Amino acid sequence: MNVDPRWFTEPATPFSEWQRTDAVGGDRRPFAQRSIIQHEAMFERFHRHLVAHRATVATFGEADLESFFNDIGNRCAAGTTTRLRYAKLVDRLCRHLIELGVRTSNPAAAYLRREAWPEDEPVPLFLDPASDIRLQAHVQEPTADTQALRDMAIVALLLGAGVTAAEIRVAHPSHLVVDDIRPHVWVPARGARAERKVTLPGFTLPVLAAWGEHCDAEPADHLFPSSRGGAMSDWTLIEVVRVALTEIGFEAPDMSPRVLRNTFARRLLLDGRSNHDVSVLLGLSSQRTVVRLRGTINAPFIG
């Protein structure tokens, strides 16, 4: 059997070709285009983890897989299906690679047998309206410290535009427009999310304008670059949000950027926006997330 050498050198390319030509789901039907894009993004994340741990798609074992799932678990809210979706993806990948002769074992099979879909959807976490207002006020507090200004600008954009952590990490300074009749942030298409333009609320403008002036004075490829000049890490973003929430006295099981994205969406629902409109502003093709958030409006606050 002739094995495609790209699986050993640039596996993202044959993975994409497999997804678009031969891969099928549990119902034996080809995947939809949006699912393929999502699978490609998931594979890229998995492959980055393997590279960081000096493994390949041909050599990774149970320890590599366990460390990856531990990393995924640390970044996901309890009760979500993210870990299981990755397990299913890696299981399909291993079975395909065994058929090709690239691998001889499937370390994902045992892991997948231990996992199960949650019986109920997890309750989304968000800021109650009073905490939302406190955080809006917090990001408007003036500061002369560059890092504090950066951190408040990050929180303001997450809270005011509902962007994801992945989107804000790769945002370019040109994506932010505050000196216009309609201040907004442009979010390019990423993975399964469509591009969108989100109007910025008034509470975000002072700190984002100040940060924009800093970006003009010190140009960079990222709106919020790391100290080394590249993209900011997920852990840095999580810590920035956690510190801000702690400072306003908010505590919850999850204090990540996801909470601010949920708060943004729920605020729009409280203001009378439709499920469709809010889903579009979140970059989602499905209304599932927004429907879950709307279900919390008449329910007791959980946070």
Side-chain angles (χ1 to χ4, degrees), residues 104-276:
T104 59
S105 64
N106 179 3
Y111 186 92
L112 190 59
R113 286 194 295 269
R114 297 194 301 267
E115 292 293 303
W117 291 96
E119 295 182 2
D120 300 307
E121 290 281 5
V123 177
L125 297 179
F126 51 87
L127 300 180
D128 60 279
S131 297
D132 184 11
I133 292 173
R134 289 201 305 274
L135 190 56
Q136 292 181 29
H138 174 69
V139 299
Q140 297 181 73
E141 296 175 0
T143 178
D145 181 79
T146 300
Q147 182 171 327
L149 177 65
R150 181 205 68 178
D151 292 354
M152 287 197 292
I154 288 172
V155 173
L157 192 56
L158 291 168
L159 185 65
V163 295
T164 67
E167 289 166 344
I168 203 171
R169 287 179 64 242
V170 299
H172 187 271
S174 63
H175 295 168
L176 180 66
V177 178
V178 293
D179 56 347
D180 194 34
I181 296 176
R182 187 181 180 186
H184 65 272
V185 59
W186 179 71
V187 186
R190 181 177 174 82
R193 292 193 176 92
E195 70 173 59
R196 61 197 188 276
K197 184 165 69 174
V198 183
T199 301
L200 295 169
F203 75 83
T204 68
L205 300 183
V207 66
L208 291 178
W211 183 250
E213 293 177 0
H214 171 80
C215 292
D216 291 340
E218 299 186 19
D221 292 332
H222 293 82
L223 179 59
F224 300 107
S226 69
S227 58
R228 295 187 297 272
M232 184 176 294
S233 72
D234 288 331
W235 288 115
T236 299
L237 281 176
I238 291 171
E239 182 64 11
V240 166
V241 173
R242 187 195 66 78
V243 169
L245 292 177
T246 300
E247 289 181 352
I248 67 165
F250 180 85
E251 294 186 5
D254 180 12
M255 295 173 65
S256 71
R258 183 186 301 104
V259 175
L260 304 190
R261 179 170 162 87
N262 287 343
T263 303
F264 162 80
R266 193 172 185 271
R267 186 191 312 124
L268 294 180
L269 293 174
L270 289 168
D271 288 342
R273 301 294 291 269
S274 70
N275 291 355
H276 172 76

